[in-house]
Amino acid sequence: MAQVKIIAVTGATGAQGGGVVNILKKTPGWRVRAITRNPDSDAAKALAADGTVEVVRADWDDEDSLAAAFSGAAAVFAVTNWWEPFLFGGKTAWEAGEIEERHGMNLARAAARTPSLEHYLWSTLPGAKQRFLGKGGLEVPHMDYKAIVDARIREELPALAAKTTYLYFGYYPQNIAYVPMMKPFEHPGTGQYIQLVASDSQAKLLLAGDMAVNPGIWVRQVLATGPAAFGKYTNVALERWSVQQMLDKWSEVTGKRGVVVQITEEAWARLWGPVGTELAWQFKFVELCDPFEVGDDFISPEELGIDASEVVGFEGTIRGLASKGLLV
Ligand SMILES: NC(=O)c1ccc[n+]([C@@H]2O[C@H](COP(=O)([O-])OP(=O)(O)OC[C@H]3O[C@@H](n4cnc5c(N)ncnc54)[C@H](OP(=O)(O)O)[C@@H]3O)[C@@H](O)[C@H]2O)c1
């Protein structure tokens, strides 16, 4: 009988890691070790409930706790969360970035210390600061600091880099249901819904699709691909849609009239504060270039053996949300 390998999944109680757990726990040949700061939380207990997933405590702030949690693992899915210190810890965008960089490097160093490790999967994003350096300048801290970790893995941990695949997650369709700034709202008494943006509503965004399944599909296929995916980037997505296209689909699904209205970055920042500014810069990045442009260092969905019929895109995701009463 083939040996069962362990994949240690960080962020397992969250969107990305949760999506990885959902698929990998049903993938023959793999056993999931879910990592959380708090195995007693309801989310962690739900992961452990059916007995197929081992739940282990570790903290991105503590490299030794991560190394212990990775012990014996053949694969690690590593993700960080720039938003937590920014939204809930009172940190500036750049301070949150420094925390994210520290977490990203703790994860990478702990993985490099794991003798059993065959494949490291790092969830990252392209950096705007790096791309626009000397070209007018643009910063998107929640993307830039992840890209710094990519470069540091290659420079400081070449043996780990040699078995790393870099995953770019697109914009989550779920944002239209859960992120207040991205929810359409009704102009009172008119039945007309409005979605505000601070950038060109026709600019195309990379969409991650359903976070409950797509992250796991990509991770399963990257692992099955093995060495051919080492050192490569992959977009965890098959769709690129504009905000207008997303709202048109939202209108079709909900039966409500929706229109996208572009406002200035200043007005957007006055409405939403620093969180709005961060998102406005992200959308500006997408307006100015294609941050997720496929280059020589990419491995394609076809090469990974991604079956498009298994992937759940924007429409499937929001139809699922609507069926649970979670869309406006
Ligand atoms: N929203 C989007 O459209 C989008 C698109 C692409 C990329 N992203 C990126 O996605 C990342 C967040 O991933 P997500 O959406 O999966 O997050 P999420 O759903 O908010 O969940 C956060 C996860 O991080 C874990 N965590 C937080 N701090 C930790 C620590 N110090 N040690 C160990 N675990 C910790 C939490 O685990 P416990 O609480 O159980 O410990 C939880 O599982 C962000 O960096 C964001 O930039 C978002």
Side-chain angles (χ1 to χ4, degrees):
M1 209 171 88
Q3 187 206 351
V4 174
K5 295 179 176 179
I6 296 170
I7 176 166
V9 179
T10 64
T13 57
Q16 295 190 17
V20 174
V21 172
N22 286 342
I23 299 289
L24 266 291
K25 73 176 190 177
K26 293 183 278 188
T27 302
W30 289 97
R31 190 158 63 84
V32 171
R33 183 179 293 160
I35 309 222
T36 172
R37 285 166 295 185
N38 181 9
D40 295 323
S41 71
D42 289 345
K45 282 187 190 152
L47 287 175
D50 69 5
T52 58
V53 172
E54 175 192 8
V55 176
V56 169
R57 200 208 74 81
D59 194 315
W60 300 332
D61 248 329
D62 176 357
E63 185 188 316
D64 287 343
S65 75
L66 293 167
F70 295 167
S71 174
V76 169
F77 173 77
V79 59
T80 47
N81 189 8
W82 178 90
W83 294 92
E84 186 173 303
F86 181 65
L87 292 176
F88 310 115
K91 301 296 183 193
T92 66
W94 295 270
E95 288 165 347
E98 281 162 20
I99 292 170
E100 177 161 65
E101 181 181 345
R102 188 172 75 235
H103 287 169
M105 289 311 296
N106 281 344
L107 283 157
R109 277 190 295 263
R113 286 165 55 188
T114 305
S116 54
L117 190 77
E118 295 171 15
H119 207 146
Y120 188 60
L121 293 86
W122 162 235
S123 169
T124 184
L125 286 171
K129 186 169 180 177
Q130 294 85 340
R131 184 117 174 204
F132 287 94
L133 205 62
K135 297 178 207 156
L138 177 72
E139 292 187 60
V140 186
H142 78 275
M143 303 178 78
D144 301 344
Y145 285 87
K146 290 178 176 71
I148 290 172
V149 173
D150 300 13
R152 287 189 60 188
I153 289 174
R154 288 190 284 267
E155 280 162 29
E156 298 171 29
L157 301 166
L160 183 72
K163 49 188 169 187
T164 296
T165 302
Y166 305 84
L167 285 83
Y168 281 159
F169 283 84
Y171 182 81
Y172 303 174
Q174 284 90 337
N175 294 345
I176 205 166
Y178 300 120
V179 176
M181 278 174 285
M182 300 314 296
K183 274 187 183 181
F185 58 93
E186 187 187 359
H187 192 286
T190 64
Q192 174 65 60
Y193 283 76
I194 294 169
Q195 183 164 32
L196 298 178
V197 290
S199 58
D200 179 2
S201 65
Q202 302 298 336
K204 303 258 183 189
L205 293 169
L206 184 77
L207 295 182
D210 191 342
M211 294 305 290
V213 289
N214 295 354
I217 293 172
W218 257 263
V219 167
R220 185 193 65 207
Q221 293 309 116
V222 165
L223 291 173
T225 304
F230 290 168
K232 300 286 187 187
Y233 282 80
T234 181
N235 287 329
V236 181
L238 295 178
E239 293 172 326
R240 286 165 191 268
W241 286 23
S242 67
V243 177
Q244 185 65 62
Q245 275 175 291
M246 286 190 256
L247 193 65
D248 289 347
K249 186 56 71 181
W250 175 91
S251 290
E252 190 186 311
V253 169
T254 62
K256 292 171 176 155
R257 283 182 297 142
V259 64
V260 179
V261 176
Q262 184 174 351
I263 61 173
T264 63
E265 201 179 304
E266 291 70 30
W268 174 268
R270 273 174 65 185
L271 258 178
W272 302 118
V275 188
T277 300
E278 179 71 20
L279 269 192
W281 289 345
Q282 175 189 331
F283 280 92
K284 189 86 193 162
F285 190 13
V286 174
E287 190 182 299
L288 292 175
C289 66
D290 178 3
F292 299 93
E293 189 177 7
V294 172
D296 292 344
D297 52 353
F298 274 64
I299 184 157
S300 69
E302 294 74 26
E303 289 169 294
L304 290 173
I306 301 283
D307 173 359
S309 68
E310 191 189 8
V311 176
V312 182
F314 184 84
E315 178 168 356
T317 308
I318 68 162
R319 286 200 186 278
L321 291 167
S323 71
K324 294 182 194 138
L326 294 169
L327 280 190
V328 173

